[in-house]
Amino acid sequence: ALGYLLKDSSPEELLRAIHCVHCGEASLDPGVALRLMREIRRPTGQVPAGEPLTEREVEVLRLVAQGMSNQEIAAALVVSERTVANHVANILGKLHLANRTQAALWAVREGVAKPDDG
């Protein structure tokens, strides 16, 4: 994805973002960009040691980092969406992360997934 807006963005912001992305430029809501930069600058190894991820959770995390939805991951792994949702929840809990975006960034930063794994 080259752009990310919040749902309360104005029509003008949406049009500007569409134009930027069409031209190959990134377009991020300023709040999202700030959170992204904080997450990237956070030193590695800050996630408290806890229960390690299972092999299946690592597999799911790699697919999350590729930008796949729960439905796409379920189809790829031949499991239910509910099972994928449970794995994602376990991953977030074990890594003490708030959402899929943080999990994807963590996976790339820690070498679990590569940015070009897609």
Side-chain angles (χ1 to χ4, degrees), residues 28-95:
L28 292 175
D29 177 270
V32 172
L34 180 60
R35 281 184 265 170
L36 177 63
M37 294 308 298
R38 284 182 181 152
E39 184 65 24
I40 289 172
R41 286 188 304 208
R42 186 174 58 83
T44 59
Q46 273 195 348
V47 175
E51 189 178 352
L53 298 179
T54 66
E55 287 183 38
R56 182 60 113 182
E57 289 166 346
V58 170
E59 190 174 15
V60 169
L61 181 56
R62 284 187 181 122
L63 298 175
V64 166
Q66 290 177 22
M68 293 177 74
S69 68
N70 284 2
Q71 184 178 19
E72 293 168 326
I73 295 170
L77 300 179
V78 193
V79 296
S80 73
E81 283 184 62
R82 178 79 174 169
T83 297
V84 173
N86 287 336
H87 285 310
V88 171
N90 290 339
I91 291 164
L92 296 177
K94 287 179 178 182
L95 298 178

